[in-house]
Amino acid sequence: MSAAPPRTPHPVPDHIPAHLREPYAWTKGRTPLPEHCPYRPGDAVKRHGYGGHPDPGFGRTGFRGWVVATVGATVLTGITEDGREWWEEWGRLEPADAPVRPWGGCTCCREERLALRRAEYAREQTRGQQLGLFAS
């Protein structure tokens, strides 16, 4: 029985925070990513989580992080902003800078959604309403 070849660290892009450079480098997976993959190593992504999701992990909590490598045709690996490793099909991911949907039900974007709703409510209050036009 032959031993597995020693693992080599992944190259770490400059924009990865210093405290996550080591975990990023040693995340499992292989590079390069397939040409048809919509993401590249180092891309910032997010995965939405939903309270009733059957997956007790990231399916419920969601995450924000970076793509590192691949472990199959459509499964990517990466590291979250708090240093946890993730494996997800790339169809469940979206770019981290994608706009938050104000009426989405995910658990991970709650604070951003509340801020958007508060801003919209404040805009409505400053505009006022023209209900006097319809008075009889």
Side-chain angles (χ1 to χ4, degrees), residues 47-51 53-63 84 86-88 107:
R47 193 240 198 260
H48 295 288
Y50 300 92
H53 196 279
D55 172 16
F58 292 127
R60 292 187 187 168
T61 62
F63 67 82
R84 296 177 291 162
W86 55 263
W87 296 38
E88 289 290 341
T107 57

Side-chain angles (χ1 to χ4, degrees), residues 16-117:
I16 302 299
H19 69 285
L20 294 175
R21 294 179 77 73
E22 188 74 14
Y24 183 100
W26 293 103
T27 296
K28 294 180 180 84
R30 66 179 189 275
T31 50
L33 274 62
E35 285 298 316
H36 61 280
C37 179
Y39 302 103
R40 297 285 119 212
D43 283 355
V45 294
K46 61 183 169 184
R47 193 240 198 260
H48 295 288
Y50 300 92
H53 196 279
D55 172 16
F58 292 127
R60 292 187 187 168
T61 62
F63 67 82
R64 293 173 192 271
W66 296 275
V67 173
V68 176
T70 183
V71 290
T74 62
V75 178
L76 299 176
T77 63
I79 191 97
T80 65
E81 290 178 341
D82 58 358
R84 296 177 291 162
E85 188 172 320
W86 55 263
W87 296 38
E88 289 290 341
E89 293 180 8
W90 68 51
R92 293 182 178 166
L93 302 172
E94 68 178 43
D97 59 356
V100 174
R101 293 169 288 190
W103 302 105
C106 63
T107 57
C108 52
C109 298
R110 182 176 183 277
E111 296 303 319
E112 292 94 335
R113 265 197 321 275
L114 287 174
L116 284 173
R117 289 180 187 164

Side-chain angles (χ1 to χ4, degrees), residues 1-16:
M1 181 188 276
S2 64
R7 285 181 50 203
T8 57
H10 297 286
V12 181
D14 294 336
H15 64 275
I16 302 299

